[in-house]
Amino acid sequence: MSTTDDRTLSTQPAPPDGGAGGPVTLPRLGPVGWLRFVWRQLTSMRTALFLLLLLAVGAIPGSTFPQRSIDAARTAQWISDHPSAGPLLDRLGFFEVYASPWFAAIYLLLFVSLIGCVVPRSRIHWHQLRARPPRAPRRLDRLPAHREEVVDGSPDEVRDRLRTALRGRRYRVHAHDDSTLSAEKGYLKETGNLVFHLALIGVLVGVGWGHLLGWKGDVIVPVGKTFANTLGGYDTFSPGPWVDPTDLSPYTIRLDTMDVAFETEDKGAGQFGMPRDFRATTTFTGPDGRAEQREIAVNHPLETGGGTVFLLGNGYAPRVTVRDADGTAIYTSATPFLAQDNNYTSVGAIKVPGARPDDLGFAGFFLPTGVIDDERGPHSVFPDTLDPQLALTAFSGNLLPGGRPQSVYTLDTAAMKPLPGKDGADQLRILLRPGETFELPGGRGSITFDGVERFAGFSIRTDPGKTLTLVSALLALAGLVLSLVVRRRRVFVRVRPDETTGRTVVSVGGLAKDDDEGMDDEVAAVLTGPEGTR
């Protein structure tokens, strides 16, 4: 990789009389020269590191601001709460970071930079693996690590022993002449470096592949209900750019039971009431029409062939019936409430758009084991349904002001008014236990708490690039370890006869590619090892 451009400095030769030289001139770069210059800049290590840093910085808004593909209601609310910054950030793509053009540009530039960086290096490394170690320098004493000794034996015998010692230490050895040896090892260091960079490319390809062809959807299914894998069956659905949402695998999942075990004994350290097991028993009906019972538990998802079903949560869905003044049921459903603490104090909203003369909305708490006091208000003291209670406030007006998306767990009261309570109270407060009915003021009908059902929160995801991403991540880790652990070393040997003693003078020099404090010990080990000169 080179970061230098193709421009060269040319000067006119100085006149013979010692006068000043001519002006410095620069050759003009043509289109091909500019393309070569831009390509070298893009494929330099400096640019790759900068793009990697830029990608990390660009991902910060994705975890700082709400993302429209994950929670459209929260995103719309954030923009509404920040009328100055919200629309500007929306135009810049801060609420859909990973699908924005600028993030895709960084991603693609990094991809191209890595390819342009790794491919030439791989070709060079391949030639180095097949090449012989270089010739031994004439003056080995100038190398960073050097030792010279006079040993017994002829030069050929000593050289053969040193060849065996070097091979025993996993060196690749070659003799360019009768008096020298050249040895080299540590090619795995560069191999690991290249594997690391190639694996980064694999990670980028896997993530991009999963983003383009993958999808994810979330759905809440009460016990006894059936979920069909269609676009309309999901509460939230986020398809990839190349995904056809109408072409989903046809299957259904019926939630038969949702079993949750809680700690009923006080074992100290806050263990009382802690969950011990979550397990959903389902009936899965595949595309072939065959139904079979499947269990979904934490860390044990269900493989459907058209997506992996994860059990992400559970909670309670109070079953409520709202009737008008004539006693006609205008709303009957099990409405999920979202747990806020370990005791499943849950918040939620019941929305009745068919009420007259205005829409009705109820917001409040579901308490599995309810307690209401002046200090904490309504809350639950145990996560199981020992004394279920429903504490609500009521509103009338427009449930969907402006048509903005909103969460199923919250009630937008911007265009609604609270129903007045008894004895002139500003706010109507309702407290119900299973089987109880409350008459609404002003002839608006009644609300009945019929019972409690459990629900399971399923997340169904398809990521075709996850296997490639996982394998690439493991290879990147292995390559990084190799590049950090393996040392690239060269050892040169020169032997000559000592005419005065009849023995052999051995000169060994060592050279490391990077800083290597152990090179002196390596040279000594070659000389004094089991197959060395002694």
Side-chain angles (χ1 to χ4, degrees):
M1 298 171 295
S2 174
T3 59
T4 60
D5 60 32
D6 292 336
R7 295 176 296 178
T8 58
L9 296 177
S10 63
T11 60
Q12 297 179 358
D17 57 357
V24 176
T25 61
L26 293 174
R28 292 183 176 273
L29 288 179
V32 176
W34 276 109
L35 288 175
R36 185 182 295 114
F37 171 74
V38 172
W39 175 254
R40 288 183 177 179
Q41 295 300 316
L42 178 61
T43 57
S44 67
M45 180 62 70
R46 179 178 58 190
T47 302
L49 292 175
F50 175 75
L51 289 173
L52 191 60
L53 175 63
L54 199 61
L55 190 71
V57 173
I60 293 177
S63 58
T64 303
F65 298 98
Q67 300 297 290
R68 186 172 283 110
S69 60
I70 298 176
D71 193 339
R74 186 183 172 195
T75 302
Q77 187 63 43
W78 199 99
I79 296 175
S80 177
D81 294 341
H82 302 80
S84 298
L88 176 61
L89 294 177
D90 194 16
R91 286 194 295 270
L92 294 175
F94 276 46
F95 302 109
E96 201 65 69
V97 169
Y98 306 110
S100 62
W102 55 267
F103 191 85
I106 299 173
Y107 190 91
L108 291 176
L109 283 174
L110 178 60
F111 183 76
V112 173
S113 178
L114 285 174
I115 291 179
C117 175
V118 171
V119 171
R121 286 178 56 188
S122 299
R123 184 170 59 251
I124 293 173
H125 184 57
W126 172 251
H127 290 303
Q128 289 179 345
L129 289 175
R130 302 177 64 186
R132 296 172 179 175
R135 288 180 176 274
R138 186 175 299 276
R139 297 287 302 275
L140 296 184
D141 56 343
R142 294 181 177 180
L143 297 181
H146 172 259
R147 289 189 66 171
E148 184 173 287
E149 293 187 5
V150 179
V151 298
D152 296 329
S154 66
D156 290 339
E157 293 174 347
V158 172
R159 199 176 62 147
D160 289 341
R161 292 202 300 268
L162 287 171
R163 188 199 303 270
T164 303
L166 288 168
R167 287 178 175 172
R169 300 187 68 82
R170 299 186 300 277
Y171 279 89
R172 188 175 61 177
V173 185
H174 181 73
H176 290 276
D177 52 51
D178 295 336
S179 62
T180 63
L181 291 175
S182 299
E184 189 171 16
K185 73 173 182 179
Y187 294 98
L188 283 179
K189 182 180 184 67
E190 180 65 13
T191 302
N193 194 296
L194 291 173
V195 167
F196 172 76
H197 287 85
L198 287 171
L200 286 183
I201 297 175
V203 170
L204 291 177
V205 172
V207 172
W209 186 12
H211 172 71
L212 293 173
L213 298 176
W215 55 267
K216 62 179 180 179
D218 298 324
V219 62
I220 291 176
V221 183
V223 172
K225 302 296 183 180
T226 299
F227 161 74
N229 188 39
T230 61
L231 181 61
Y234 287 94
D235 296 328
T236 61
F237 187 81
S238 301
W242 294 354
V243 173
D244 182 4
T246 62
D247 189 24
L248 299 178
S249 179
Y251 61 81
T252 61
I253 300 175
R254 174 185 171 84
L255 181 60
D256 298 324
T257 61
M258 181 67 215
D259 299 319
V260 181
F262 299 103
E263 183 61 63
T264 57
E265 298 181 6
D266 189 0
K267 298 181 180 180
Q271 294 298 308
F272 180 70
M274 294 296 292
R276 294 305 179 203
D277 186 39
F278 298 120
R279 195 169 299 275
T281 303
T282 65
T283 300
F284 173 73
T285 304
D288 56 358
R290 186 178 63 180
E292 54 183 325
Q293 196 172 70
R294 302 277 192 89
E295 280 194 345
I296 309 175
V298 178
N299 297 326
H300 290 84
L302 169 63
E303 297 292 344
T304 66
T308 304
V309 184
F310 297 90
L311 177 62
L312 292 188
N314 71 95
Y316 294 102
R319 191 170 61 254
V320 174
T321 299
V322 179
R323 293 180 172 85
D324 61 14
D326 298 330
T328 302
I330 56 177
Y331 178 90
T332 301
S333 179
T335 305
F337 276 53
L338 187 63
Q340 302 296 299
D341 56 29
N342 291 335
N343 288 322
Y344 280 55
T345 300
S346 306
V347 298
I350 301 171
K351 304 175 184 182
V352 189
R356 294 291 180 270
D358 299 315
D359 297 340
L360 282 176
F362 302 87
F365 297 91
F366 171 72
L367 315 173
T369 304
V371 172
I372 300 177
D373 56 40
D374 296 335
E375 182 178 352
R376 297 183 54 187
H379 63 281
S380 178
V381 295
F382 190 75
D384 213 347
T385 52
L386 302 183
D387 184 14
Q389 301 178 31
L390 196 57
L392 302 172
T393 56
F395 298 83
S396 66
N398 185 5
L399 282 171
L400 299 171
R404 295 194 305 268
Q406 55 183 262
S407 170
V408 297
Y409 300 107
T410 60
L411 186 66
D412 188 349
T413 60
M416 306 187 78
K417 295 181 179 179
L419 295 183
K422 296 181 180 179
D423 302 327
D426 294 336
Q427 179 70 62
L428 177 65
R429 302 184 186 280
I430 304 171
L431 183 64
L432 296 173
R433 287 182 168 85
E436 296 181 349
T437 299
F438 186 90
E439 296 293 332
L440 301 175
R444 294 180 178 275
S446 64
I447 179 172
T448 301
F449 183 12
D450 298 319
V452 182
E453 296 178 1
R454 284 194 178 274
F455 72 80
F458 293 132
S459 181
I460 304 175
R461 304 184 181 186
T462 295
D463 185 359
K466 64 181 180 180
T467 302
L468 175 60
T469 303
L470 175 61
V471 173
S472 299
L474 295 176
L475 286 175
L477 179 60
L480 182 62
V481 171
L482 284 176
S483 64
L484 294 176
V485 173
V486 178
R487 298 184 182 277
R488 184 75 175 271
R489 290 169 170 172
R490 285 175 177 172
V491 173
F492 302 99
V493 175
R494 187 175 291 277
V495 297
R496 58 182 173 84
D498 187 357
E499 297 179 357
T500 60
T501 63
R503 303 172 73 190
T504 299
V505 178
V506 180
S507 181
V508 179
L511 179 66
K513 184 175 181 179
D514 302 311
D515 293 337
D516 189 351
E517 297 179 354
M519 200 65 225
D520 288 326
D521 296 334
E522 182 74 8
V523 170
V526 171
L527 279 172
T528 62
E531 299 294 335
T533 57
R534 297 181 182 177

